[in-house]
Amino acid sequence: MNKVVTMAEALSRIKNGQSVMIGGFLTVGTPQGLVDAIVDSEIGELTLIVNDTAFADRGVGKLIACDKVKKVITSHIGTNKITGKKMHAGEIEVELVPQGSLAEKIRSEGAGLGGFLTPTGVGTAVEENKQVMEFDGKKYILERPMGADIALIKAHKADTSGNLVYRRAARNFNPLMAMAADLVIVEADEIVEAGELDPDEVMTPCVFVDLIVRKESPNESA
Amino acid sequence: MNKVVTMAEALSRIKNGQSVMIGGFLTVGTPQGLVDAIVDSEIGELTLIVNDTAFADRGVGKLIACDKVKKVITSHIGTNKITGKKMHAGEIEVELVPQGSLAEKIRSEGAGLGGFLTPTGVGTAVEENKQVMEFDGKKYILERPMGADIALIKAHKADTSGNLVYRRAARNFNPLMAMAADLVIVEADEIVEAGELDPDEVMTPCVFVDLIVRKESPNESA
Amino acid sequence: MNPRERIARRVARIFKDGDVVNLGIGLPTSVANYVPDEVHIVLHSENGFTRVGPAPEPGQEDPDIVDAGGMPVTILPGGCCFDSATSFAIIRGGHLAATVLGALEVDQEGNLANWMIPGKLVPGMGGAMDLVAGARKVIIAMEHVTKNGDPKIVEKCDLPLTGARKVNLIVTELGFMEVTPDGILLRELAPGVTVEEIQSKTGATLILPDQIGVMTA
Amino acid sequence: MNPRERIARRVARIFKDGDVVNLGIGLPTSVANYVPDEVHIVLHSENGFTRVGPAPEPGQEDPDIVDAGGMPVTILPGGCCFDSATSFAIIRGGHLAATVLGALEVDQEGNLANWMIPGKLVPGMGGAMDLVAGARKVIIAMEHVTKNGDPKIVEKCDLPLTGARKVNLIVTELGFMEVTPDGILLRELAPGVTVEEIQSKTGATLILPDQIGVMTA
């Protein structure tokens, strides 16, 4: 089953108002081609789930700068001044989640769990409106899973059946988000035939992946 | 920091009555050299945490056959007739845990979580004496983390600082158990210098590993 | 055709192209031999890899590549390996289109018992409870009655459950059945089997639709 | 020596050989420059790798290798990469010997505030709450007072907390302090700093041991 499609085909599957997880840490590991395609599209009113909102002119931050986002769930907005401005102006809703809890909430959804208990945030504002449980004198917050309609993933290599390999610190949230969305779209630097990746080299099994687009080289996009 | 030691040094760190997690699925991915060393030692009264009890004469099952184990926590004992016999005779305590819950309990300990909610076992004997929580009409069992004093891990390759690579289906519980014990001892087919493994090839980061022994070739052990 | 092959052949025709499927040990494993050529399924092995392939040629066995029953197999092109937590994330997270399992008992509510007989046989549940809880479709593939001729499809399971209200389809050498909110619907009968015969060997009252299909092999 | 270098140099001498350590953005990151040659620590970067190395030569930057602040770095031999769930498993699971973080406020109970100023600055907590919850030792490295000269070490934090009762050590350009169950113990004073000076710039009453050491750089 060949999962490779064109950017236009992939984009046609994303709808107004959907929740979209996008991999990346600042700009590293962000599927920038998919992000830019949304920027140039009619798609809007998105709920974004991202580690951080990157920069106003780079990474997922462009989606916020160009008014594609009504809500963002993230661990950090400090690098993108526009996120903070829009938040204070009431133009965007921001939900802040500790980075480790955000990663684990996404994994929890992908793994079919109903949630997990974490010590992170105990005694802070993070525990507001959440159940706190105590075992052996240690307190934990019950965090619930978090999924999305769409996940946009950046891979270094993909095979045509959807097995993925990431590179260096560009892995970050990508393998987790690939488990947790109804539709998983991958932007890959390089696409190889199924069977060309060693089974032990694969970081995201094909079973999680729906569609693959090839990253356009600067030449092609010009 | 070079973590490579002799089998004797590694063995000297395991004490009577400790809890010991051992990687492997049936016999695949089992650190057989470490298991055999315990069989030949004075160490006993162990609590074993294993996916299955393998066979009476192969894998971790030898520990049960030679009376080293007072309790075993596992998902399956069907392949080792001696486990069942000793259980029915009251000579060994057996706690059965669904395989996915066992894996997740071990990961949960390694990840510093207080537990997780799983749909596995709802409406069965597994939910006895456990808290059941319901969200959006779906029931989950609250499973608590599980750690051990010792983890015995089988790696295909290790570097001297403790980064590990597994091979094919020999990975199974090994990366999880490597996160969840106070002392983690690895038996590796091959040991290379730190820096010889590509950073993206490593499956268990060195931060989890304490000691490494080299698997003896049949020649050496003869 | 022997009963077990008839069962496996019918189960094999349930899958759709692209389905990710986990097959239990024993009869369910043999289902892989009969999947139609035009349907490409991805077989998941809970001990940690996808795209389970056939047994290797004698002498070509890789000791690190066995199925969940410990039998030497191969990994087909496009397969990959993972740890047990990821393997069960695939299972529990709804990423399997289907699982095929055997049963000691299955009842009209969709309850399944297949992991122990108190005081007699306690092999353990292995991955079965996770498979039943997580697969999008749970298919039971088994001979219709026990060796003693007792029904395995019953009104209410007596044995300890593997999963509650999770079974969707039941395939035996006598027929193809679906568990519905109202009970067990008889969708197909094997050639030469009458409604009276299958009902007499079943411990629950089967629901009979207007049209009962033929369970071809 | 400038105050920030003095702080970084003292923090760098806290570690033991083999310690796995996460350094926060800013001043804490500079601690890596002063670790004694005979002490080998493993630097963890929460965006997904170990053995963070120094910045590469200009022109040698790898766009996929940056630290958690987005600055180009290198991976030393023996380093490895992982996803964010594993990265925070390392943090939360007690596998870090220490984390070094800055602070807006820290109080005598060991409470830390460093992620927001209501109505003014809300960058978010990033990984700080996990680091504080999970590292075996939480070390605060910061200038002793704010730009306005107000104490950052207080009796009770006013700002929203990053973690409750988690701080172990506080290092400023004036001194080296330990948070004990009884309050903040002054263990070392920087050369030329008097007890009166450090106390006057501190919002909580410091506990004075019989012997106060010298905080050499």
Side-chain angles (χ1 to χ4, degrees):
Chain A
M1 183 166 274
N2 189 322
K3 296 177 179 172
V4 181
V5 298
T6 65
M7 182 63 84
E9 285 174 288
L11 204 65
S12 74
R13 303 285 297 274
I14 307 174
K15 306 297 178 199
N16 239 39
Q18 283 188 317
S19 54
V20 183
M21 301 182 151
I22 308 182
F25 191 109
L26 296 172
T27 59
V28 178
T30 298
Q32 193 68 51
L34 285 162
V35 168
D36 289 348
I38 297 176
V39 166
D40 294 337
S41 76
E42 298 295 307
I43 301 163
E45 296 285 306
L46 299 174
T47 294
L48 216 59
I49 300 167
V50 287
N51 174 63
D52 56 81
T53 59
F55 307 97
D57 60 346
R58 280 177 299 146
V60 294
K62 293 167 81 169
L63 292 169
I64 291 168
C66 74
D67 297 321
K68 295 296 193 184
V69 179
K70 64 177 177 189
K71 177 175 180 178
V72 58
I73 302 170
T74 186
S75 79
H76 201 264
I77 62 172
T79 52
N80 186 338
K81 300 251 178 305
I82 294 184
T83 313
K85 257 186 216 162
K86 282 184 185 281
M87 177 178 73
H88 288 297
E91 293 166 17
I92 190 173
E93 186 185 345
V94 174
E95 183 180 333
L96 289 166
V97 181
Q99 195 168 131
S101 298
L102 184 63
E104 197 67 21
K105 283 164 77 75
I106 295 167
R107 179 188 178 275
S108 195
E109 172 75 21
L113 301 174
F116 59 93
L117 298 171
T118 180
T120 300
V122 167
T124 77
V126 168
E127 76 176 38
E128 279 167 26
N129 303 315
K130 287 180 188 151
Q131 190 167 345
V132 175
M133 301 177 81
E134 187 169 337
F135 294 95
D136 307 326
K138 186 161 181 182
K139 287 182 180 172
Y140 301 91
I141 297 175
L142 174 60
E143 293 278 7
R144 298 270 294 135
M146 184 181 294
D149 297 316
I150 308 280
L152 304 182
I153 303 300
K154 167 72 195 315
H156 180 52
K157 285 193 217 175
D159 74 18
T160 52
S161 74
N163 290 299
L164 307 182
V165 174
Y166 308 98
R167 185 173 177 279
R168 304 303 190 237
R171 194 178 325 184
N172 56 66
F173 277 73
N174 282 302
L176 311 171
M177 290 177 170
M179 299 166 70
D182 293 340
L183 183 77
V184 176
I185 307 175
V186 175
E187 177 177 342
D189 289 337
E190 186 187 348
I191 300 176
V192 302
E193 290 301 313
E196 288 188 39
L197 298 174
D198 185 277
D200 286 330
E201 176 187 10
V202 173
M203 299 173 189
T204 287
C206 64
V207 303
F208 295 129
V209 171
D210 297 298
L211 303 174
I212 307 164
V213 300
R214 191 155 61 86
K215 184 181 171 171
E216 290 188 356
S217 69
N219 257 2
E220 293 168 303
S221 63
Chain B
M1 184 165 273
N2 190 324
K3 297 177 180 173
V4 181
V5 298
T6 64
M7 180 63 83
E9 285 175 287
L11 203 66
S12 74
R13 303 285 297 273
I14 308 173
K15 307 296 176 200
N16 239 38
Q18 283 189 317
S19 54
V20 183
M21 301 182 151
I22 309 181
F25 191 109
L26 295 172
T27 59
V28 178
T30 298
Q32 193 68 51
L34 285 163
V35 168
D36 290 349
I38 296 176
V39 166
D40 293 338
S41 76
E42 298 295 308
I43 302 163
E45 297 285 305
L46 299 174
T47 294
L48 216 58
I49 300 167
V50 286
N51 174 63
D52 57 81
T53 58
F55 307 97
D57 60 346
R58 280 177 299 146
V60 294
K62 291 167 82 169
L63 291 169
I64 290 168
C66 73
D67 296 320
K68 296 294 192 185
V69 180
K70 66 178 175 188
K71 177 175 179 178
V72 59
I73 302 170
T74 186
S75 80
H76 202 265
I77 62 171
T79 53
N80 186 338
K81 299 253 178 303
I82 294 184
T83 313
K85 255 186 218 162
K86 283 184 186 279
M87 177 178 71
H88 287 297
E91 294 167 16
I92 189 173
E93 187 185 346
V94 174
E95 183 179 333
L96 289 166
V97 181
Q99 195 169 128
S101 298
L102 185 63
E104 197 67 22
K105 283 164 77 76
I106 295 167
R107 178 189 179 276
S108 195
E109 172 75 21
L113 301 174
F116 59 93
L117 297 171
T118 180
T120 300
V122 168
T124 77
V126 168
E127 75 176 40
E128 277 166 26
N129 304 317
K130 289 180 187 149
Q131 190 168 345
V132 175
M133 301 177 82
E134 188 168 336
F135 295 95
D136 308 326
K138 187 162 181 183
K139 287 182 179 172
Y140 300 92
I141 296 175
L142 173 60
E143 292 280 6
R144 297 270 294 134
M146 184 182 293
D149 296 316
I150 309 280
L152 304 181
I153 303 299
K154 167 73 196 314
H156 180 53
K157 285 193 217 175
D159 73 19
T160 52
S161 74
N163 290 300
L164 308 182
V165 174
Y166 309 97
R167 185 174 177 279
R168 305 301 190 240
R171 195 178 324 184
N172 56 67
F173 278 72
N174 282 302
L176 311 171
M177 290 175 170
M179 299 166 69
D182 293 339
L183 182 77
V184 176
I185 307 174
V186 175
E187 177 178 343
D189 288 337
E190 186 188 347
I191 300 175
V192 301
E193 289 302 313
E196 288 189 42
L197 298 174
D198 185 276
D200 287 330
E201 175 188 11
V202 173
M203 300 173 188
T204 287
C206 65
V207 301
F208 296 128
V209 171
D210 297 298
L211 304 174
I212 307 164
V213 301
R214 192 155 61 88
K215 184 182 169 168
E216 290 187 356
S217 69
N219 257 2
E220 293 168 303
S221 63
Chain C
M1 190 182 304
N2 75 55
R4 294 168 67 88
E5 181 178 338
R6 178 173 295 280
I7 296 165
R9 283 183 178 273
R10 182 60 191 90
V11 172
R13 286 190 288 109
I14 295 172
F15 309 128
K16 294 195 303 292
D17 199 44
D19 276 359
V20 184
V21 176
N22 183 293
L23 302 175
I25 296 166
L27 168 52
T29 296
S30 71
V31 167
N33 301 328
Y34 306 111
V35 177
D37 285 344
E38 68 277 15
V39 176
H40 303 93
I41 65 173
V42 175
L43 284 181
H44 167 272
S45 194
E46 69 263 32
N47 52 326
F49 58 104
T50 52
R51 298 203 196 267
V52 183
E57 297 293 318
Q60 298 298 307
E61 296 87 355
D62 180 329
D64 288 340
I65 306 178
V66 301
D67 68 15
M71 300 306 293
V73 291
T74 47
I75 301 178
L76 297 174
C80 70
C81 304
F82 31 77
D83 67 37
S84 297
T86 303
S87 188
F88 282 84
I90 292 172
I91 292 171
R92 217 191 294 101
H95 308 284
L96 291 185
T99 186
V100 183
L101 295 168
L104 296 168
E105 284 180 340
V106 54
D107 73 23
Q108 62 188 10
E109 291 181 348
N111 297 310
L112 169 66
N114 73 353
W115 73 280
M116 73 171 288
I117 304 174
K120 203 170 154 194
L121 182 75
V122 191
M125 67 290 281
M129 285 193 181
D130 300 280
L131 284 163
V132 171
R136 299 201 299 275
K137 191 175 280 180
V138 175
I139 302 166
I140 301 302
M142 63 174 190
E143 293 179 74
H144 202 88
V145 296
T146 68
K147 279 178 190 149
N148 299 331
D150 295 325
K152 296 169 76 173
I153 303 170
V154 295
E155 279 191 1
K156 187 88 185 166
C157 289
D158 274 331
L159 295 172
L161 296 187
T162 306
R165 297 175 177 271
K166 288 291 182 185
V167 175
N168 301 102
L169 298 172
I170 306 169
V171 183
T172 75
E173 74 281 13
L174 301 185
F176 177 82
M177 290 149 277
E178 180 181 350
V179 181
T180 74
D182 301 321
I184 297 171
L185 179 74
L186 179 62
R187 281 176 43 176
E188 296 175 6
L189 274 172
V193 177
T194 62
V195 168
E196 291 66 34
E197 182 187 351
I198 194 170
Q199 180 61 74
S200 73
K201 292 176 174 171
T202 303
T205 304
L206 296 171
I207 301 171
L208 305 176
D210 292 341
Q211 279 226 308
I212 301 174
V214 177
M215 189 175 105
T216 53
Chain D
M1 191 181 309
N2 74 55
R4 294 168 67 87
E5 181 178 335
R6 179 173 293 281
I7 296 166
R9 282 184 179 275
R10 181 61 189 93
V11 172
R13 286 190 288 110
I14 295 172
F15 309 128
K16 293 196 303 291
D17 199 44
D19 276 358
V20 184
V21 176
N22 184 295
L23 302 175
I25 296 167
L27 168 53
T29 296
S30 72
V31 167
N33 301 329
Y34 306 111
V35 177
D37 285 343
E38 68 277 15
V39 176
H40 304 92
I41 65 173
V42 175
L43 284 181
H44 168 271
S45 194
E46 69 263 31
N47 52 327
F49 58 103
T50 52
R51 297 200 197 270
V52 183
E57 296 294 317
Q60 299 298 309
E61 297 88 355
D62 180 329
D64 288 340
I65 305 178
V66 301
D67 67 15
M71 300 307 292
V73 291
T74 47
I75 301 178
L76 298 174
C80 69
C81 304
F82 31 78
D83 67 35
S84 297
T86 302
S87 188
F88 282 85
I90 291 172
I91 291 171
R92 217 193 293 101
H95 307 285
L96 291 184
T99 186
V100 184
L101 295 168
L104 295 168
E105 284 181 341
V106 55
D107 74 22
Q108 62 189 11
E109 292 181 347
N111 296 311
L112 168 67
N114 72 354
W115 74 281
M116 74 171 287
I117 303 173
K120 201 170 155 192
L121 182 75
V122 191
M125 66 290 280
M129 284 194 181
D130 300 281
L131 284 163
V132 170
R136 299 202 298 274
K137 191 176 282 180
V138 176
I139 302 167
I140 300 303
M142 63 174 189
E143 293 180 73
H144 203 88
V145 295
T146 68
K147 280 177 191 151
N148 299 329
D150 295 325
K152 296 169 77 174
I153 302 171
V154 295
E155 278 191 2
K156 187 88 185 165
C157 288
D158 273 331
L159 294 171
L161 296 187
T162 306
R165 297 176 177 272
K166 288 291 183 185
V167 175
N168 301 102
L169 298 172
I170 306 169
V171 182
T172 75
E173 75 281 13
L174 301 185
F176 177 82
M177 290 149 277
E178 180 181 350
V179 180
T180 73
D182 301 321
I184 298 173
L185 179 74
L186 179 62
R187 282 176 43 176
E188 295 174 9
L189 275 172
V193 178
T194 63
V195 168
E196 291 66 32
E197 181 186 355
I198 194 170
Q199 180 62 74
S200 73
K201 292 176 174 172
T202 303
T205 305
L206 296 171
I207 300 172
L208 305 176
D210 292 341
Q211 279 226 306
I212 300 175
V214 177
M215 188 175 104
T216 53

